[in-house]
């Protein structure tokens, strides 16, 4: 490599390494299962024409995964453990220029937890495209976590659970019964 500069002129030369294998949408990595920890990097990654933005910031260092839902339910996707301000997008579609946004996120808690998290409803067999980028062109290692769970048994109105009758405990307070709603889905008309 030969480099020439005028005397007193500052010249910056940046050599970069290989791009990640899932840099391009067409080369996205397939994921399978309902509890996944995938790792990678967006260092030396690029953006391609027609690629959607996860947020209004065009970080420009995107990498891609594709996941097929093994069951109908809700999936939580996170970049927790990635040591920089990441952005996360979940899309449907099979061509980079024609993707439909399902959900995106920049900070789990704006300004405090700078990794990203989305929670989306899926149907069995549905393919979702997952894009990770860095806010303001940040790059680094990525930890992508994915947890899918079926809805609870009493998710639909027709399967409602009967709560026990209200009792008063010895301190005068009402007894409580807890039911999990985190992975519950919305049914038509609800």
């Amino acid at each position: 490599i030969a480099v020439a500069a005028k005397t007193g002129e500052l010249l910056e030369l940046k050599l970069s390494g290989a791009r990640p294998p899932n840099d391009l949408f067409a080369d996205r990595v397939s994921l399978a299962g309902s509890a996944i920890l995938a790792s990678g990097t967006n260092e030396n990654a690029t953006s391609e024409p027609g690629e959607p933005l996860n947020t209004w910031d065009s970080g420009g260092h995107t990498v891609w995964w594709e996941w097929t839902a093994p069951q109908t339910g809700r999936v939580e996707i996170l970049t927790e453990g990635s040591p920089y301000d990441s952005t996360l997008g979940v899309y449907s579609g099979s061509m980079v220029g024609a993707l439909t946004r399902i959900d995106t996120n920049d900070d789990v808690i704006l300004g405090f937890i700078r990794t990203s998290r989305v929670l989306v409803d899926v149907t069995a067999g549905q393919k979702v495209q997952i894009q990770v980028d860095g806010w303001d062109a940040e790059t680094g290692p990525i930890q992508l976590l994915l947890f899918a769970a079926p809805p609870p048994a009493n998710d639909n109105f027709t399967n409602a659970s009967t709560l026990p009758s209200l009792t008063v405990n010895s301190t005068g307070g009402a007894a409580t019964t807890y039911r999990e709603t985190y992975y519950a889905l919305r049914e038509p008309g609800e």
Side-chain angles (χ1 to χ4, degrees), residues 138-178:
E138 288 189 54
T139 62
I142 295 169
Q143 283 199 340
L144 184 70
L145 293 90
L146 185 146
F147 303 103
N154 65 335
D155 186 39
N156 291 328
F157 183 76
T158 57
N159 298 327
S161 296
T162 302
L163 295 176
S165 59
L166 183 64
T167 58
V168 178
N169 63 27
S170 61
T171 61
T176 56
T177 300
Y178 294 97

Side-chain angles (χ1 to χ4, degrees), residues 31-33 67-73 75 121-128 146 148:
L31 302 172
W67 175 70
T68 303
Q71 62 201 12
T72 296
V75 61
D121 298 341
V122 294
T123 56
Q126 178 181 354
K127 292 183 182 303
V128 295
L146 185 146

Side-chain angles (χ1 to χ4, degrees), residues 83-114:
Y84 61 96
D85 191 355
S86 63
T87 65
L88 176 64
V90 178
Y91 302 89
S92 62
S94 59
M95 294 175 42
V96 72
L99 295 173
T100 301
R101 177 176 294 171
I102 297 172
D103 198 6
T104 61
N105 182 255
D106 175 28
D107 292 342
V108 172
I109 299 176
L110 186 62
F112 292 98
I113 300 177
R114 304 194 79 131

